[in-house]
Amino acid sequence: MKTAITELFGIEHPIIQGGMHYVGFAELAAAVSEAGGLGIITGLTQKTPELLAKEIARCRDMTDKPIGVNLTFLPTFSAPPYPEYIAAIREGGVKIVETAGRSPEQYMPALKAAGIKVIHKCTSVRHSLKAEQIGCDAVSVDGFECGGHPGEDDMPNMILLPRAAEELSIPFVASGGMADGRSLVAALSLGAAGINMGTRFIATKEAPVHENVKKGLVAATELDTRLVMRALRNTERVLTNKGVERLIEIEREKGKALKIDDIMDEVAGVYPKVMIDGDMDAGAWSCGMVVGLIKDVPSVKELVDRTMTEAEQIIRQRLVGFLDGVPQQQRARAVA
Ligand SMILES: Cc1cc2nc3c(=O)[nH]c(=O)nc-3n(C[C@H](O)[C@H](O)[C@H](O)COP(=O)(O)O)c2cc1C
């Protein structure tokens, strides 16, 4: 399958693994890129630019296919040294950066001077248009379903993607709720040129996280995510657990007066506890509604290959079948 995204990034399949804190290490990124998608190392999980340089080098030892690095621009007072992180990316020979959070505008000259292609992740048409205007090469359009930060507009992908298609000139991928070949074909139908998956890639053999996390994702249903931190305008979709229940209770008590300090125990330092120690009740960690579609823990290659096979079957058999007037049995899955 060739799309504007496979051509832009020089990859075989239009599937990207979004940056994920404490998940997007070299092992996962390399596995995704080796499988023909685009694997992304999460820049800020590496505490210093020097450590990021080492992680990039480790990934380079595992694959010579294109890889990317995620740079998340956080709303913090003590900003990480982004120019140094960008230098590590440039010197590591990485040619693709996924930006997220705040606008990457001030860093675009440095990224472009290094010949880096930028895909900015955003949750609205207006931010996507801004990304296009400041010179981003592509956008990852992140709907309300997504794990992580869906923004404050609550716009699901069924509306957001076709709206993005109406307005954008640069290519975009659908992000949030993507799990398989059905998602890929749906995304292509709505105007996207590929998909970005987060949560689905955590439940893979290569994802370097505790087994409890993978088991937890397989056990959870689409009803098990919660939105937290809305009062702080920093809404995050997370998997519910005891820590999250406590957090929601505090949010109820404080209402609009909620301060970040009120919920520090439930949101700060949670990722290593969950992803490394396997403490599933530690607090808030990102997870998408797509968790309801996760039923197994395949290898990354199995996941990517079956996504592409399923997409092809849906297009060639189910969809063309409708046009050809071939009656089809209604099944739970489009392709059994
Ligand atoms: C555990 C986890 C951690 C994440 N961390 C980041 C991050 O550090 N930076 C970022 O830009 N996106 C992050 N995301 C968002 C993903 O890159 C991706 O946009 C999102 O998961 C897509 O939605 P999905 O989970 O429904 O596939 C994270 C998502 C998850 C599930």
Side-chain angles (χ1 to χ4, degrees):
M1 187 184 281
K2 274 196 178 15
T3 73
I5 286 293
T6 59
E7 300 316 281
L8 178 66
F9 295 138
I11 53 178
E12 196 186 341
H13 307 305
I15 300 176
I16 301 176
Q17 165 250 314
M20 286 181 281
H21 200 36
Y22 276 90
V23 182
F25 293 98
E27 289 81 2
L28 181 61
V32 175
S33 290
E34 275 295 293
L38 178 65
I40 292 186
I41 295 170
T42 317
L44 297 189
T45 300
Q46 303 301 323
K47 295 270 177 275
T48 64
E50 293 72 33
L51 287 172
L52 176 60
K54 284 193 185 141
E55 195 66 8
I56 292 170
R58 231 162 54 78
C59 197
R60 272 278 153 262
D61 286 342
M62 296 180 220
T63 183
D64 52 14
K65 303 248 173 83
I67 55 167
V69 172
N70 169 284
L71 273 186
T72 303
F73 299 111
L74 300 164
T76 97
F77 296 109
S78 56
Y82 289 113
E84 281 90 335
Y85 276 97
I86 291 171
I89 293 167
R90 186 188 62 228
E91 281 152 28
V94 174
K95 293 292 179 199
I96 303 165
V97 165
E98 176 197 54
T99 52
R102 301 211 155 167
S103 169
E105 186 164 10
Q106 78 179 103
Y107 303 104
M108 287 303 286
L111 292 165
K112 287 282 129 195
I116 290 171
K117 291 187 176 123
V118 178
I119 177 164
H120 184 56
K121 189 158 53 193
C122 34
T123 57
S124 69
V125 173
R126 66 186 185 283
H127 290 139
S128 302
L129 279 171
K130 173 78 181 170
E132 176 174 304
Q133 189 204 327
I134 63 171
C136 291
D137 300 274
V139 187
S140 202
V141 175
D142 220 14
F144 181 57
E145 308 87 333
C146 73
H149 294 270
E152 312 304 325
D153 291 347
D154 298 354
M155 195 57 64
N157 268 333
M158 207 72 187
I159 311 299
L160 187 57
L161 297 173
R163 280 290 299 121
E166 284 171 8
E167 304 266 347
L168 286 173
S169 306
I170 52 174
F172 66 96
V173 295
S175 179
M178 304 291 133
D180 50 32
R182 297 172 300 178
S183 324
L184 175 56
V185 176
L188 296 173
S189 301
L190 296 172
I195 56 175
N196 179 61
M197 298 198 285
T199 306
R200 175 62 269 201
F201 272 120
I202 308 177
T204 57
K205 292 205 170 86
E206 292 90 339
V209 302
H210 197 284
E211 282 305 309
N212 289 355
V213 178
K214 301 182 192 185
K215 285 190 193 137
L217 291 176
V218 171
T221 78
E222 64 275 23
L223 301 175
D224 293 331
T225 72
R226 300 287 179 270
L227 292 177
V228 296
M229 293 192 284
R230 174 128 283 177
L232 302 175
R233 290 191 64 77
N234 186 29
T235 301
E236 183 178 0
R237 186 178 295 285
V238 300
L239 189 66
T240 191
N241 61 44
K242 290 205 181 83
V244 169
E245 282 166 23
R246 260 196 324 271
L247 196 169
I248 290 172
E249 199 46 50
I250 298 169
E251 288 188 331
R252 266 199 211 106
E253 277 165 24
K254 302 274 173 184
K256 287 194 175 138
L258 184 79
K259 303 259 177 326
I260 184 74
D261 289 341
D262 299 327
I263 54 170
M264 260 325 184
D265 288 348
E266 286 74 29
V267 299
V270 171
Y271 277 80
K273 289 186 203 152
V274 174
M275 301 298 177
I276 299 172
D277 306 338
D279 175 2
M280 296 297 283
D281 285 319
W285 61 278
S286 299
C287 175
M289 287 173 155
V290 72
V291 71
L293 299 178
I294 296 177
K295 307 281 195 284
D296 61 357
V297 182
S299 73
V300 165
K301 184 165 169 43
E302 279 161 359
L303 177 65
V304 169
D305 283 351
R306 82 184 184 202
T307 297
M308 296 312 298
T309 307
E310 190 179 42
E312 183 169 351
Q313 281 173 4
I314 293 171
I315 296 166
R316 288 194 199 280
Q317 293 169 20
R318 185 172 164 85
L319 299 185
V320 172
F322 286 140
L323 289 177
D324 290 346
V326 181
Q328 296 186 30
Q329 276 186 326
Q330 197 60 42
R331 295 196 208 129
R333 280 181 73 87
V335 187

